[in-house]
């Protein structure tokens, strides 16, 4: 059985697709067969970030409607042969997603894959709901600013009450916090919420902090998940996150907040 | 849903509409045998004549309608009036019944929750749950506490029929309501409403007050009105002479 991870946030533009691409690549690079699914039907981006937009023939909706098989729609990544992408449809909207259809696809993928990463659209409507409904783990991507934190909190409420696990009274979805676009300089200037501030509001297990970085935009534009840029701070941050998710003990980096709780607790390696 | 004209301190206006909730006994009927209803009702009243004298009452027809039992509304109204109870409304009626009830000049309430009454509020309706239980005709209120151990996130609403105990944080944008007391043993950032059915004795306790709104039996304070001296620390909230008091627990 595969482990289903949803990458979600509520708010748009915080780095969900960047994160989905990076962690899917990271998991595959660690030797786990991984599929990443774009749930943002109508606004598909994941294929661009993954650099496979020219190879899209069939999409998620085609498979749901039975117009193509999963194997026809899955695109093998050019950098890693354990990673597959299921792109969203650009010509349809989220109403084309059905719970049964999504459930069937995830069940079929589960037989063959170790991890399934669901890239959620922004908002809390149908697309976002179906992306998280079947999840086992949730990566909540948050920017260090109040509206993003508030939306994440809302999303956490939905995760704990509207998921399949919640409906079946199973063990709840495991929730992890990913703080992205973090700038320790701006935190020091008081322009940005610190890790502690966000943790105080969300009280969630912190999986990692991704620093604000030019390498993210460069990676997106060139269609290479940023985790492949091993020299970049953001790439390293994602590598740490994948390692921590898989149970490795990695000290937190990129926080650089002397007064902070984590600064005291962990020896920063840089 | 009721007027509160006596207390209006404003010079410009002599009246003011205010929303308020009252605790009113609900009489749930499960038979259309008027003779039997009368007998049993009189027996109940005999047990506590002072309590029932001029007490407002709402009649609940839901049980009857679930079993498709017809009942003569006019005869029923007459029966209640003869028993010195003040009928202030119906709930759970069918559309046809509701039309008939409204024709008689009696309010119709939605079947689910809040029962308001613009009758003179009787002190006795505000007694503890035990007193209400006797008034509720073999349908005692469940006063067990609801326990929540997970954080209550923005957008979530929790309603407890009795007391509500929360062992995790309540986020901004969340709403917790209880007919009894509310205890939050963590940060309380959302909206907390205790005594929502009109229990003035209800209190809110929290170990770190950062709430957007606190309310006891409809009297509320918003975040802006909270004094700095009570923020970010353990406090209790209660009503004293219709004033909302927020102070240290000890």
């Amino acid at each position: 059985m595969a482990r289903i991870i949803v990458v979600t946030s509520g708010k748009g533009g915080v780095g969900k697709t960047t994160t989905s691409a990076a962690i899917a690549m990271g998991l595959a690079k660690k030797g786990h067969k991984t599929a990443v699914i774009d749930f943002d039907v109508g606004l598909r981006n994941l294929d661009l970030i993954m650099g496979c937009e020219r190879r899209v023939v069939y999409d998620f909706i085609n498979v749901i409607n039975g117009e193509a098989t999963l194997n026809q729609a899955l695109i093998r990544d050019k950098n890693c042969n354990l990673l597959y992408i299921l792109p969203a449809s650009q010509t349809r909207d989220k109403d084309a997603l059905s719970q049964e259809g999504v459930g069937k696809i995830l069940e079929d993928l589960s037989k063959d894959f170790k991890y399934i990463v669901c890239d959620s659209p922004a908002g809390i409507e149908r697309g976002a709901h179906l992306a998280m409904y079947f999840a086992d783990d949730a990566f909540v991507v948050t920017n260090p600013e109040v509206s993003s934190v508030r939306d994440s909190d809302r999303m956490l409420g939905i995760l704990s009450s509207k998921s399949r696990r919640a409906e079946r009274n199973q063990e709840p979805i495991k929730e992890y916090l990913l703080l992205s676009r973090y700038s320790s300089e701006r935190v020091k200037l008081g322009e940005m919420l610190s890790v502690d501030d966000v943790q105080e509001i969300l009280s969630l297990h912190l999986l990692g902090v991704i620093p604000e970085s030019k390498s993210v935009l460069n990676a997106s534009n060139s269609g290479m998940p940023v985790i492949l840029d091993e020299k970049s701070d953001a790439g390293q941050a994602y590598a740490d996150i994948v390692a921590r998710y898989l149970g490795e003990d990695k000290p937190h980096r990129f926080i650089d907040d002397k007064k902070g709780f984590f600064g005291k607790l962990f020896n920063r390696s840089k | 849903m009721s007027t509160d004209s006596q207390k209006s301190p404003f010079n410009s206006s002599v009246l003011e509409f205010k929303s308020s909730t009252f605790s009113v006994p609900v009489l749930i009927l499960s038979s259309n045998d008027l003779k039997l209803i009368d007998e049993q009702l009189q027996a109940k009243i005999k047990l506590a004549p002072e309590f029932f004298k001029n007490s407002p009452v709402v009649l609940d027809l839901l049980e009857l309608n679930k079993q498709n039992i017809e009942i003569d509304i006019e005869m029923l109204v007459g029966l209640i009036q003869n028993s010195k109870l003040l009928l202030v409304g119906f709930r759970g009626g069918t559309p046809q019944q509701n039309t008939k009830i409204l024709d008689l000049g009696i309010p119709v309430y939605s079947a689910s929750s809040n029962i308001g009454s613009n009758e003179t509020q009787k002190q006795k309706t505000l007694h503890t749950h035990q007193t209400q239980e006797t008034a509720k005709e073999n349908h005692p209120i469940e006063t067990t506490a609801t326990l929540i151990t997970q954080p209550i996130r923005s957008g979530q609403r929790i309603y407890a029929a009795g007391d509500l105990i929360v062992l995790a944080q309540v986020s901004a944008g969340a709403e917790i309501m209880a007919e009894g007391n509310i205890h939050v043993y963590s940060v309380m950032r959302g909206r907390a409403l205790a005594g929502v059915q009109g229990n003035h004795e209800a209190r809110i306790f929290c170990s770190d007050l950062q709430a957007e709104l606190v309310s006891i039996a409809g009297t509320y304070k918003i975040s802006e009105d909270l004094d700095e001296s009570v923020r970010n620390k353990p406090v209790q909230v209660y009503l004293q002479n219709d004033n909302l008091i927020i102070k240290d627990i000890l």
Side-chain angles (χ1 to χ4, degrees):
Chain A
M1 275 302 279
R3 195 90 187 153
I4 302 173
I5 302 168
V6 60
V7 178
T8 187
S9 70
K11 198 173 186 300
V14 296
K16 284 184 295 295
T17 302
T18 301
T19 299
S20 299
I23 61 159
M25 179 63 80
L27 289 167
K29 282 269 179 197
K30 289 267 188 186
H32 305 292
K33 193 172 180 190
T34 303
V36 55
I37 307 177
D38 190 351
F39 274 78
D40 206 349
V41 177
L43 294 168
R44 72 169 214 233
N45 288 153
L46 182 70
D47 49 330
L48 290 172
I49 308 273
M50 303 289 298
C52 66
E53 75 279 9
R54 295 184 184 182
R55 292 190 284 147
V56 175
V57 184
Y58 295 109
D59 57 48
F60 195 10
I61 302 297
N62 291 137
V63 182
I64 285 181
N65 292 344
E67 295 151 7
T69 65
L70 253 180
N71 284 334
Q72 286 174 308
L74 283 170
I75 303 169
R76 180 184 286 210
D77 187 80
K78 59 185 183 240
N79 294 300
C80 181
N81 60 10
L82 286 175
L83 178 60
Y84 290 80
I85 299 122
L86 185 56
S89 169
Q90 180 73 337
T91 54
R92 306 291 290 273
D93 62 37
K94 288 167 184 75
D95 294 335
L97 291 172
S98 67
Q99 186 161 306
E100 303 73 48
V102 173
K104 177 81 173 51
I105 289 181
L106 290 174
E107 196 183 307
D108 289 349
L109 285 173
S110 288
K111 291 172 192 151
D112 202 20
F113 287 84
K114 184 80 188 293
Y115 291 100
I116 302 169
V117 178
C118 301
D119 180 21
S120 171
I124 53 173
E125 275 74 46
R126 190 176 184 79
H129 180 255
L130 286 174
M132 70 86 193
Y133 183 75
F134 298 96
D136 301 305
D137 298 314
F139 286 13
V140 178
V141 184
T142 306
N143 286 170
E145 49 100 14
V146 285
S147 63
S148 174
V149 172
R150 171 73 66 94
D151 289 358
S152 293
D153 193 52
R154 178 88 167 91
M155 195 32 109
L156 286 162
I158 294 171
L159 286 169
S160 62
S161 58
K162 303 252 171 79
S163 66
R164 181 170 65 170
R165 281 174 173 267
E167 284 176 8
R168 291 183 177 179
N169 268 331
Q170 292 168 328
E171 195 187 328
I173 295 176
K174 273 212 182 88
E175 302 155 343
Y176 300 94
L177 175 65
L178 275 70
L179 201 54
S180 63
R181 309 196 70 165
Y182 194 80
S183 159
S184 49
E185 283 80 39
R186 296 192 64 190
V187 170
K188 270 182 212 142
L189 291 169
E191 296 173 350
M192 205 177 246
L193 296 178
S194 69
V195 174
D196 293 357
D197 295 335
V198 177
Q199 281 286 78
E200 202 190 307
I201 300 172
L202 295 179
S203 50
L204 211 55
H205 178 72
L206 180 74
L207 202 54
V209 172
I210 304 111
E212 172 80 69
S213 168
K214 282 180 190 155
S215 56
V216 171
L217 195 61
N218 290 338
S220 297
N221 288 337
S222 60
M224 293 271 284
V226 69
I227 198 167
L228 294 174
D229 185 353
E230 284 163 15
K231 291 201 180 69
S232 73
D233 45 3
Q236 291 172 17
Y238 278 118
D240 283 2
I241 284 167
V242 171
R244 276 186 212 114
Y245 174 69
L246 293 174
E248 289 176 43
D249 190 16
K250 290 259 180 190
H252 280 277
R253 297 192 269 173
F254 315 110
I255 296 176
D256 195 37
D257 181 7
K258 298 237 157 31
K259 287 171 290 182
F261 171 68
F262 284 94
K264 279 182 216 156
L265 263 187
F266 300 102
N267 293 321
R268 287 180 305 282
S269 55
K270 268 196 173 177
Chain B
M1 271 189 293
S2 73
T3 53
D4 188 0
S5 51
Q6 284 140 1
K7 275 197 269 169
S8 174
F10 304 111
N11 297 328
S12 52
S13 171
V14 296
L15 49 81
E16 185 188 8
F17 276 105
K18 260 189 167 177
S19 175
S20 184
T21 47
F22 298 104
S23 177
V24 178
V26 177
L27 192 55
I28 299 165
L29 299 176
S30 48
S31 160
N32 64 351
D33 186 339
L34 291 168
K35 193 159 166 273
L36 205 61
I37 291 173
D38 194 34
E39 268 173 25
Q40 293 191 4
L41 185 62
Q42 294 311 325
K44 285 278 174 197
I45 290 175
K46 237 180 214 166
L47 290 175
E50 271 310 299
F51 179 86
F52 286 106
K53 194 178 171 195
N54 294 333
S55 171
V57 66
V58 169
L59 287 183
D60 190 324
L61 305 175
L62 196 62
E63 276 302 311
L64 287 178
N65 288 325
K66 267 186 196 162
Q67 300 166 38
N68 289 321
I69 302 174
E70 286 282 325
I71 190 161
D72 189 326
I73 297 290
E74 277 152 51
M75 295 285 280
L76 182 62
V77 169
L79 187 156
I80 297 296
Q81 282 165 348
N82 284 337
S83 67
K84 298 280 188 294
L85 289 170
L86 295 173
L87 183 59
V88 296
F90 275 88
R91 71 174 185 185
T94 61
Q96 293 89 332
Q97 285 173 333
N98 287 347
T99 318
K100 204 179 271 178
I101 291 162
L102 289 170
D103 282 346
L104 292 170
I106 298 167
V108 170
Y109 299 107
S110 66
S112 53
S113 56
N114 296 355
I115 310 141
S117 156
N118 54 8
E119 286 292 312
T120 334
Q121 198 179 343
K122 291 274 163 189
Q123 285 300 315
K124 59 186 103 173
T125 61
L126 294 175
H127 284 330
T128 54
H129 287 300
Q130 275 80 21
T131 332
Q132 283 182 8
E133 277 177 24
T134 53
K136 285 223 174 176
E137 293 274 26
N138 303 328
H139 285 271
I141 306 171
E142 283 294 325
T143 49
T144 50
T146 306
L147 178 70
I148 308 270
T149 54
Q150 296 291 315
I152 302 174
R153 301 291 185 179
S154 182
Q156 288 187 307
R157 299 179 84 195
I158 305 286
Y159 188 97
D163 284 6
L164 177 62
I165 302 165
V166 184
L167 300 182
Q169 63 170 14
V170 179
S171 293
E175 192 168 68
I176 55 175
M177 290 176 282
E179 291 176 18
N181 305 297
I182 292 178
H183 305 256
V184 179
Y185 297 101
S186 182
V187 191
M188 165 67 229
R189 293 198 179 88
R191 300 155 73 95
L193 298 93
V196 287
Q197 295 287 349
N199 182 2
H200 287 227
E201 304 299 318
R203 293 189 180 204
I204 298 171
F205 305 87
C206 67
S207 49
D208 186 348
L209 180 72
Q210 301 181 26
E212 296 171 330
L213 180 144
V214 285
S215 162
I216 307 281
T219 306
Y220 66 90
K221 265 190 184 167
I222 55 171
S223 177
E224 211 172 70
D225 299 337
L226 296 181
D227 198 84
E228 278 307 317
S229 65
V230 297
R231 276 178 199 276
N232 305 312
K233 59 184 232 181
V235 292
Q236 58 171 324
V237 184
Y238 59 94
L239 270 185
Q240 198 171 62
N241 303 325
D242 283 345
N243 288 317
L244 202 66
I245 311 289
I246 305 176
K247 60 179 242 183
D248 295 354
I249 291 178
L250 293 175

